[in-house]
Amino acid sequence: MKQVSAALFLTDGEKFLVCHATGGKHYDLPKGLIDEGEEAIIACIRETKEETGLVLTEGDLVDLGIFPYTSKKNLHIFLCIKEPLPITSSFTCTSTFVHYYTKKDVPEVDGYMYISYSDKEKYVTSNMNKTLEEVIKKITES
């Protein structure tokens, strides 16, 4: 059975938020595994706060559903539309991991930016790009 992570798609309708995974090459949506017994929307709110410092409520989010992501994981994605978008310089990551090379505790995320829907493939993995294609299709067609 595939794991499911809750993810945030924060957008103004033209661009969306991505977070740079510390030590990696790519950007990603704010996301993380849903804890046992936890509702997906609560996991999205928790992960967003941990990875960006942004505080959201259930009323800020629209459930877009579960999307295929990798062979081992699906993403339960929630939409949040904000105009204007929050300033990325105010974001901060409080969740950490032990870096494989330095063996030091480092933030999971070390940078943020907004990218246009059409530029996503330049910044995200191919799996994430495919997932985002489906997400963007769903929100632009509704």
Side-chain angles (χ1 to χ4, degrees):
M1 183 165 175
K2 285 187 175 186
Q3 291 183 311
V4 180
S5 282
L8 175 70
F9 189 82
L10 174 63
T11 184
D12 64 359
E14 295 180 9
K15 52 192 176 292
F16 65 98
L17 175 67
V18 289
C19 306
H20 185 260
T22 302
K25 295 179 185 176
H26 298 98
Y27 284 77
D28 206 346
L29 296 177
K31 67 176 175 52
L33 287 174
I34 300 169
D35 292 338
E36 189 174 331
E38 185 178 36
E39 291 180 38
I41 195 166
I42 301 303
C44 180
I45 291 168
R46 175 180 50 78
E47 287 291 337
T48 299
K49 185 175 182 193
E50 288 175 3
E51 293 185 4
T52 69
L54 187 63
V55 177
L56 299 174
T57 67
E58 291 184 40
D60 295 322
L61 303 174
V62 175
D63 188 341
L64 295 178
I66 298 175
F67 295 82
Y69 179 45
T70 67
S71 61
K72 296 179 181 179
K73 187 185 290 187
N74 289 328
L75 296 180
H76 195 146
I77 300 179
F78 293 86
L79 170 66
C80 181
I81 299 172
K82 291 230 183 246
E83 293 181 55
L85 289 164
I87 299 167
T88 58
S89 62
S90 68
F91 292 166
T92 185
C93 180
T94 58
S95 55
T96 62
F97 72 101
V98 177
H99 192 275
Y100 65 93
Y101 181 70
T102 65
K103 307 297 185 213
K104 292 183 180 179
D105 227 19
V106 296
E108 282 185 74
V109 173
D110 65 4
Y112 309 91
M113 71 176 172
Y114 294 106
I115 57 175
S116 69
Y117 292 179
S118 59
D119 283 343
K120 66 190 173 326
E121 66 279 352
K122 296 177 187 175
Y123 298 98
V124 301
T125 65
S126 60
N127 284 333
M128 180 57 79
N129 187 54
K130 289 176 192 171
T131 301
L132 290 171
E133 287 285 337
E134 294 301 313
V135 169
I136 292 166
K137 181 178 175 183
K138 185 169 187 169
I139 64 175
T140 57
E141 288 179 352
S142 39

